[in-house]
Structure formats: C-alpha cells, structure tokens
C-alpha cells in the first residue's frame, strides 16, 4: 500500500484490480497457467503469419485479412498478458488510471478492428461466390489496402476520442471489478455526462453493431446463393465460409461476454467473473489461428509441410548425435 500512497502523492491516481481470486495464495498458479497460454498464443499466430508471408500463393485478399487478424491477436495478447504476469506475482494488483485507459483503448480498438476485418472477409467471400467474374476488380490491391486502413484507423480515431473524454472525468471508486481494464473503467467515475453516454452509444454502433449487422446480412446473401448452387460448387463455398462463420460466432460471444463483465460487480460472483474474464482473453487470440489453420485447406497444407520438415530435421539431428 505504501507504493500506492507514493504514486498518489506524486499526482498519479492508482487503481486496484478486484477480479483476482485469492491471488496471494494462488499467484504462482495463475502465472503457471497464463504464461504457457501466452506462449502458445504467440506461437500459433506467428506460425499463421509466417506461413502466409512466405508463400506467394497465399498473397490473396482472404489470407491477407487472416494474417491481419493474427497480428491483432498478437497485439491484443501483448497488451493484456504481461501485466497479468506482473500482477499474479505481486503483492499489489494496481495500475495507474492513465495506464488503465490506454489498456482499455487498445483492448477495444483491436476488438473493433477484428470486426471490420471480418466484414472485409465477408465481402471477399460474397464477391468470390456470388460475383466471381468481378472478383479481380472488386478485390484489387487498392481495395485490400483500403479495407486494412479502415479496419485499423476508424476504431482508433473514434475510441481515442472517448478515452480523452473519459480521462477528464473525476474518479470516485478506485477498485476495478475485473483483472484487466475494459468496460469496467466507466464504473469508477463519479458521474458520466449525458453527452459522453450518447457518444459511447454512437461509437458502439459504428464499431460493433453496424459491422456485425452487415456481416450477418452478407452471409445471408451468400448462403442464399449457395442454396441455389449444386454439387462441388456448394461444398467448396461452404468449406470456405464455415471458418469465417465460426469465428464470427465466437466474436459475438466474446462481445456479449464483455457486456456481462461490465455488469459483473452486481450480477455474478467473483469466481464466475474470473472464468468469464479468462474466456475473453482466450477466445479472441486463439480462435483465429486455430480455425483458419485447421479449416482453410491451403494454410493447413503449408502448416503440415512446415511441421513435417521440422520433425524431419529433428530426427536427422538426433540420428547424427
């Protein structure tokens, strides 16, 4: 507590995380569970990026968007997990108010970016399946660059404005209900002005509701087109769309879970809250590489070659010894 008092005396408002369950007793257990998970997340996403980067036949819009999702997963995990490691091994689970706002900003920027990328992928599948003759024109390199730029900069611009407005609010409660900074930050403010609430709703609509609606609408059109197709065309279309739909479902579950987290201090127990928080941290960074690595045939083909080459080299080295 002395550290907290010193930081407050220096003008920095310190917040404490209340979402850990008996961290003083199970801190090393938290670390031993989270650290391998973080390494696995990094490994999975780096492998996907490496495979797509090094194989020219994967330099297509769909695979570029998949690589962008993996980059987001790497950033998302790096924003959250290292701080968790420090907190698990520390006596005080604290963060500065400014640091909390920055972590929350990155958390939602990357989550929103994922939705925009999924929307771009839905459009890519729509053009490929429903307008195949227009694909090369509609999904040109310029179009891909525009999609990537919008996916990364639109959320940053809007959510940065919210963060700046939040930073000017007075803090009354210094205990966060979770163990990382997300929507729970709004609960520590004394009051939330009506203009800020309206702006948050507008940004939520722009960065979550509208993209999800457009994604669902696009896939409805795709599946109507697939329904009227026959044989191999239908099977191929379903196989390419299935991973996207599954990732979309998991993303919606993750967003819904985050809403629950925002209400957790008055609705659910601390242990259930911990489980929900962990699910949010696992779904986003792991679902993309697992789904696309296993379900996309071209990626899986290169992954098998890469893994078989590695195992062959290892056997050769062992034989040489």
């Amino acid at each position: 507590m002395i550290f907290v008092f010193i930081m407050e005396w220096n003008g920095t408002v310190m917040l404490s995380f209340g979402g850990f369950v008996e961290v003083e007793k199970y801190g090393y257990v938290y670390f031993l569970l989270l650290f391998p998970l973080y390494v696995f997340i990094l490994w999975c996403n780096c492998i996907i990026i490496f495979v797509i980067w090094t194989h020219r036949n994967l330099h297509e819009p769909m695979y570029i968007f998949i690589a962008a999702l993996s980059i987001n997963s790497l950033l998302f995990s790096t924003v959250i997990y290292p701080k968790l490691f420090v907190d698990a091994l520390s006596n005080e689970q604290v963060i500065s108010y400014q640091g909390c706002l920055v972590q929350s900003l990155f958390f939602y920027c990357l989550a929103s970016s994922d939705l925009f990328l999924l929307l771009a992928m839905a459009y890519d599948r729509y053009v490929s399946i429903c307008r195949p003759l227009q694909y090369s024109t509609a999904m040109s390199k310029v179009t891909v660059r525009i999609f990537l730029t919008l996916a990364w900069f639109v959320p940053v611009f809007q959510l940065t404005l919210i963060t700046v407005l939040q930073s000017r609010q007075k803090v009354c409660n210094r205990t966060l209900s979770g163990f990382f900074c997300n929507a729970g930050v709004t609960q520590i403010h004394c009051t939330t002005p009506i203009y800020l609430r309206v702006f948050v709703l507008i940004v939520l609509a722009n960065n979550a509701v509208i993209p999800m609606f457009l994604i669902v609408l696009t896939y409805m059109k795709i599946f109507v087109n697939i329904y009227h197709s026959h044989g191999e065309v239908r099977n191929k279309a379903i196989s390419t769309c299935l991973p996207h739909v599954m990732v979309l479902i998991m993303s919606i579950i993750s967003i819904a879970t985050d809403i629950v987290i925002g209400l957790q201090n008055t609705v659910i127990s601390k242990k259930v809250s911990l489980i929900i928080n962990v699910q949010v941290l696992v779904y986003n960074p792991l679902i993309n590489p697992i789904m696309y690595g296993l379900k996309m045939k071209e990626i899986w083909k290169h992954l098998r070659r890469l893994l078989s080459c590695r195992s062959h080299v290892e056997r050769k080295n062992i034989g040489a010894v």
Side-chain angles (χ1 to χ4, degrees), residues 131-278:
R131 301 286 188 272
L133 298 179
Q134 302 173 12
Y135 184 81
S136 58
T137 304
M139 296 303 298
S140 63
K141 290 183 179 180
V142 174
T143 304
V144 172
R145 292 193 188 104
I146 291 173
F147 275 132
L148 291 175
T149 302
L150 292 176
W152 278 320
F153 287 100
V154 169
V156 169
F157 175 73
Q158 297 185 59
L159 291 167
T160 298
L161 290 178
I162 287 182
T163 302
V164 171
L165 293 174
Q166 285 183 330
S167 66
R168 299 176 180 176
Q169 306 306 309
K170 185 177 180 181
V171 176
C172 288
N173 178 16
R174 306 212 173 176
T175 301
L176 295 159
S177 54
F179 54 74
F180 64 93
C181 296
N182 58 351
V185 174
T186 59
Q187 299 173 0
I188 67 175
H189 297 142
C190 301
T191 58
T192 303
I194 186 66
Y195 72 86
L196 182 55
R197 294 182 183 180
V198 172
F199 188 41
V200 167
L201 290 176
I202 293 173
V203 172
L204 177 63
N206 290 340
N207 292 274
V209 178
I210 293 176
M212 283 193 292
F213 173 77
L214 292 176
I215 292 170
V216 172
L217 182 63
T218 302
Y219 278 113
M220 286 176 62
K221 291 185 177 181
I222 291 174
F223 286 122
V224 168
N225 186 275
I226 291 174
Y227 178 77
H228 293 97
S229 301
H230 301 282
E232 186 178 346
V233 174
R234 176 185 294 181
N235 294 334
K236 185 177 180 180
I238 292 175
S239 65
T240 57
C241 288
L242 184 60
H244 304 303
V245 174
M246 295 180 72
V247 169
L248 173 62
I249 292 172
M250 298 305 293
S251 298
I252 293 174
I253 291 174
S254 181
I255 292 171
T257 303
D258 185 66
I259 294 174
V260 173
I261 290 175
L263 302 174
Q264 67 185 9
N265 62 335
T266 57
V267 178
I268 57 179
S269 68
K270 197 172 183 179
K271 290 183 179 180
V272 175
S273 160
L274 179 66
I275 295 172
I276 292 176
N277 274 280
V278 170

Side-chain angles (χ1 to χ4, degrees), residues 50-83:
F50 175 78
V51 168
I52 293 173
W53 181 269
T54 55
H55 293 86
R56 295 189 64 85
N57 66 317
L58 298 181
H59 293 182
E60 299 177 3
M62 178 174 61
Y63 299 111
I64 292 173
F65 295 139
I66 291 173
L69 284 173
S70 287
I71 291 172
N72 278 5
S73 295
L74 290 176
L75 295 174
F76 178 89
S77 302
T78 303
V79 166
I80 304 295
Y81 278 89
K83 181 66 173 72

Side-chain angles (χ1 to χ4, degrees), residues 12-167:
T12 302
V13 176
M14 300 302 296
L15 309 173
S16 62
F17 292 109
F20 289 95
V21 177
E22 298 185 76
V23 65
E24 65 284 349
K25 183 178 179 180
Y26 298 111
Y28 286 99
V29 176
Y30 285 130
F31 178 82
L32 292 175
L33 290 175
L34 292 173
F35 184 74
L37 179 62
Y38 178 57
V39 173
F40 183 62
I41 288 170
L42 295 182
W43 183 82
C44 288
N45 285 285
C46 284
I47 285 292
I48 294 295
I49 295 170
F50 175 78
V51 168
I52 293 173
W53 181 269
T54 55
H55 293 86
R56 295 189 64 85
N57 66 317
L58 298 181
H59 293 182
E60 299 177 3
M62 178 174 61
Y63 299 111
I64 292 173
F65 295 139
I66 291 173
L69 284 173
S70 287
I71 291 172
N72 278 5
S73 295
L74 290 176
L75 295 174
F76 178 89
S77 302
T78 303
V79 166
I80 304 295
Y81 278 89
K83 181 66 173 72
L84 289 180
F85 302 152
V86 174
D87 289 336
L89 301 177
S90 302
N91 294 325
E92 298 285 347
Q93 293 73 47
V94 296
I95 189 172
S96 68
Y97 178 52
Q98 293 82 358
C100 190
L101 289 177
V102 171
Q103 188 181 62
S104 177
L105 172 64
F106 275 97
F107 178 85
Y108 287 108
C109 281
L110 293 168
S112 299
S113 177
D114 279 355
L115 287 177
F116 280 106
L117 288 172
L118 289 173
L119 176 58
M121 294 168 75
Y123 178 72
D124 174 83
R125 292 299 84 203
Y126 170 77
V127 177
S128 176
I129 295 170
C130 303
R131 301 286 188 272
L133 298 179
Q134 302 173 12
Y135 184 81
S136 58
T137 304
M139 296 303 298
S140 63
K141 290 183 179 180
V142 174
T143 304
V144 172
R145 292 193 188 104
I146 291 173
F147 275 132
L148 291 175
T149 302
L150 292 176
W152 278 320
F153 287 100
V154 169
V156 169
F157 175 73
Q158 297 185 59
L159 291 167
T160 298
L161 290 178
I162 287 182
T163 302
V164 171
L165 293 174
Q166 285 183 330
S167 66

